[in-house]
Amino acid sequence: MKLAVIGTGYVGLVAGAGFADFGNDVHCVDVDESKIARLSRGEVPIYEPGLDALIASNAKAGRLTFSTDVAAAVRGAEVVIIAVGTPPAADGSADLSAVFAVAETIGKNMNGYKVVVTKSTVPVGTADRIQQIIGRVTKEPFGVASNPEFLKEGAAIEDFMKPDRVVIGSNDARALEVLRRLYSAFVRTNDRIHAMDARSAELTKYAANAMLATRISFMNDLAVLSEKLGADIERVRKAVGADPRIGPKFLFPGVGFGGSCFPKDISALIHTAEGVGHELAVVRAAEEVNKRQKQLLGDKIRRHFDGALEGRTVAVWGLAFKPQTDDIREAPALVLIDMLLEAGAKVRAHDPAAMDNVRALVGDRVTFTETMYQATEGADALALVTEWHEYRQPDFNRIKGLMRTPALFDGRNVWDPKDLRSLGFKYTGIGRP
Ligand code: NAD
């Protein structure tokens, strides 16, 4: 099939390369000229494991091309996939200006039947609005469909190529048929396509993210309680997750969730519910708990030094909102760094992939170090924020020798408190003694 993918971010690039890999002709377009220039030179502007090889092989085979010409991409495609950003607006709703601008361009460049697909996460009712926007400027036939994306950054290729479900929603039978054909190669072993109306598809994406965010906030809230009660949340987590009705995933207490999806999506869902006079009490609580949780590590460090952080040095390991990505949108590390700098501390930070992105944001207010050990040199505390593999079993003897005072703040409960205390560290985790 001939596809146009509009928006070459985390989702658009992975989807574009993934569809091309199954033999489709994919033209990826973006308004960001520097991004397209880099992609055309064979560079991949984001860190996502496996993506560079997938892009390189498909570009070489001529199935994957890049440009800034949205109009031409639309004219050459049977299926037009919208994968632009839907960032939060000031009132917490999703900012749909890019989606609607693209819809207008699609409408103006229609030349025969096309399926217009939103892969961006968009509020319920957006497919109807896209239908109206395109319908106002063209007489050509078209179908609008919602095809929310469930990939996880860091494992995006695997998720996209072997999806555990493909949700397609449309009120146009022909559009659903085209999408079934497009995805048939991805679900050959087991038909995991969920076809439905567009509104249900749009709501499915928000429901999934709100459920996962709620699980995390639930455990974070219990971790705070666990600490007050002298229980160990890690033991509780494992035993609770052993119940097959509950399962072990997304129960890890930590520093709060960040990323480009959960925070903005739950906020947009709350906003959507308010618009129809419904208060989503559970999701609102998940959001509140998360805001509080992102302050927790900074509060613990401040308390440890009796509120006096002036002149102290804190090493921060992990800046990306999770391992295996360079994405720092809503990252808990940014909240911690702000708290530390505000309190007068010096911050020495390390991350395997996200340092350039944070540097662009905070400049030289933070010292970025080449190695993780350099970050701990002269530090009064070391805070683990993102649990990259290399931070899991570091050489603690070496760290002890490098730090000024050996205080560890384990925001992900990945280190062993007993071992570390016996090495002479002061250990503080989340919800554990
Ligand atoms: P991103 O910010 O990485 O990429 C969006 C891209 O769209 C940018 O390159 C931007 O330049 C481009 N763009 C903006 N306006 C445009 C326009 N008018 N025409 C052409 N291009 C335009 O965003 P992302 O993380 O890829 O997310 C895209 C959408 O997918 C969002 O709605 C997001 O919620 C959703 N989503 C993201 C993930 C994820 O893990 N990142 C997962 C599932 C769904």
Side-chain angles (χ1 to χ4, degrees):
M1 270 188 218
K2 293 201 179 314
L3 313 180
V5 177
I6 306 180
T8 59
Y10 290 83
V11 167
L13 273 182
V14 170
F19 284 130
D21 208 52
F22 276 108
N24 297 288
D25 280 322
V26 183
H27 192 53
C28 286
V29 282
D30 203 289
V31 282
D32 185 334
E33 288 178 10
S34 68
K35 218 178 224 185
I36 291 299
R38 290 182 65 185
L39 285 162
S40 305
R41 284 198 300 270
E43 291 172 30
V44 179
I46 55 169
Y47 175 80
E48 179 60 47
L51 185 58
D52 34 8
L54 196 68
I55 289 180
S57 63
N58 284 287
K60 188 159 171 243
R63 290 187 296 263
L64 183 62
T65 50
F66 299 98
S67 84
T68 52
D69 193 345
V70 180
V74 170
R75 286 196 297 273
E78 308 160 62
V79 178
V80 182
I81 297 165
I82 304 175
V84 298
T86 49
D91 63 357
S93 64
D95 177 350
L96 296 174
S97 52
V99 171
F100 293 149
V102 167
E104 175 101 21
T105 309
I106 295 171
K108 288 182 176 153
N109 289 282
M110 292 290 291
N111 54 351
Y113 181 81
K114 292 180 199 298
V115 182
V116 178
V117 183
T118 37
K119 200 167 249 318
S120 301
T121 302
V122 291
V124 176
T126 303
D128 297 340
R129 294 178 68 184
I130 291 174
Q131 181 90 34
Q132 287 161 6
I133 292 170
I134 299 177
R136 271 204 298 268
V137 289
T138 185
K139 294 258 175 304
E140 297 281 354
F142 65 96
V144 174
S146 162
N147 168 220
E149 180 52 59
F150 297 97
L151 62 78
K152 300 183 288 297
E153 286 176 23
I157 309 272
E158 174 79 6
D159 287 349
F160 189 79
M161 301 307 258
K162 296 183 190 148
D164 42 31
R165 81 285 214 196
V166 173
V167 172
I168 50 177
S170 181
N171 308 328
D172 181 279
R174 186 171 168 191
L176 284 179
E177 209 30 58
V178 170
L179 288 180
R180 268 190 193 284
R181 257 195 295 130
L182 177 62
Y183 275 108
S184 59
F186 293 79
V187 294
R188 201 173 146 242
T189 335
N190 174 2
D191 185 357
R192 286 160 306 221
I193 292 180
H194 296 259
M196 56 187 81
D197 59 284
R199 284 180 174 251
S200 302
E202 288 165 340
L203 185 56
T204 299
K205 173 67 190 173
Y206 284 99
N209 276 359
M211 169 70 87
L212 294 172
T214 301
R215 279 173 74 98
I216 297 172
S217 275
F218 177 83
M219 284 308 280
N220 280 336
D221 209 13
L222 279 193
V224 173
L225 177 68
S226 167
E227 215 164 279
K228 289 185 196 268
L229 297 176
D232 183 346
I233 195 67
E234 284 304 309
R235 291 176 190 273
V236 176
R237 171 180 71 75
K238 287 176 194 152
V240 167
D243 182 335
R245 292 169 304 176
I246 297 172
K249 293 186 177 170
F250 277 77
L251 291 184
F252 292 87
V255 289
F257 55 78
S260 63
C261 293
F262 287 2
K264 85 168 168 56
D265 290 350
I266 62 174
S267 157
L269 183 60
I270 290 166
H271 196 268
T272 297
E274 273 169 5
V276 291
H278 180 65
E279 206 219 330
L280 268 185
V282 173
V283 183
R284 190 178 281 289
E287 187 180 52
E288 280 309 310
V289 166
N290 195 52
K291 281 188 187 142
R292 189 191 67 199
Q293 198 73 11
K294 282 180 159 179
Q295 310 264 336
L296 192 72
L297 208 57
D299 284 340
K300 282 174 183 279
I301 296 173
R302 207 159 36 197
R303 263 201 314 273
H304 178 83
F305 293 106
D306 296 325
L309 279 174
E310 194 78 44
R312 299 275 183 183
T313 299
V314 180
V316 176
W317 277 3
L319 303 171
F321 84 92
K322 66 174 181 181
Q324 298 293 334
T325 182
D326 62 349
D327 198 340
I328 58 161
R329 287 177 278 189
E330 306 278 343
L334 300 179
V335 176
L336 175 65
I337 288 172
D338 270 351
M339 287 176 80
L340 294 171
L341 293 177
E342 192 134 309
K346 290 194 183 66
V347 176
R348 292 172 68 78
H350 179 265
D351 186 282
M355 287 198 288
D356 286 347
N357 286 340
V358 177
R359 192 183 284 113
L361 214 63
V362 303
D364 57 10
R365 294 191 299 140
V366 166
T367 304
F368 297 93
T369 60
E370 211 166 296
T371 73
M372 57 197 246
Y373 292 106
Q374 282 165 357
T376 69
E377 282 169 14
D380 296 288
L382 165 60
L384 173 71
V385 182
T386 312
E387 71 282 28
W388 286 87
H389 280 178
E390 63 200 83
Y391 301 149
R392 302 272 189 107
Q393 294 175 313
D395 181 345
F396 282 110
N397 283 316
R398 182 171 170 198
I399 292 170
K400 188 141 177 268
L402 290 169
M403 291 181 76
R404 187 156 57 190
T405 58
L408 301 179
F409 293 84
D410 179 1
R412 300 288 180 172
N413 288 354
V414 294
W415 294 331
D416 186 328
K418 227 169 55 214
D419 287 357
L420 291 171
R421 286 184 185 126
S422 70
L423 281 177
F425 283 100
K426 290 241 180 291
Y427 173 90
T428 308
I430 307 288
R432 64 204 307 208

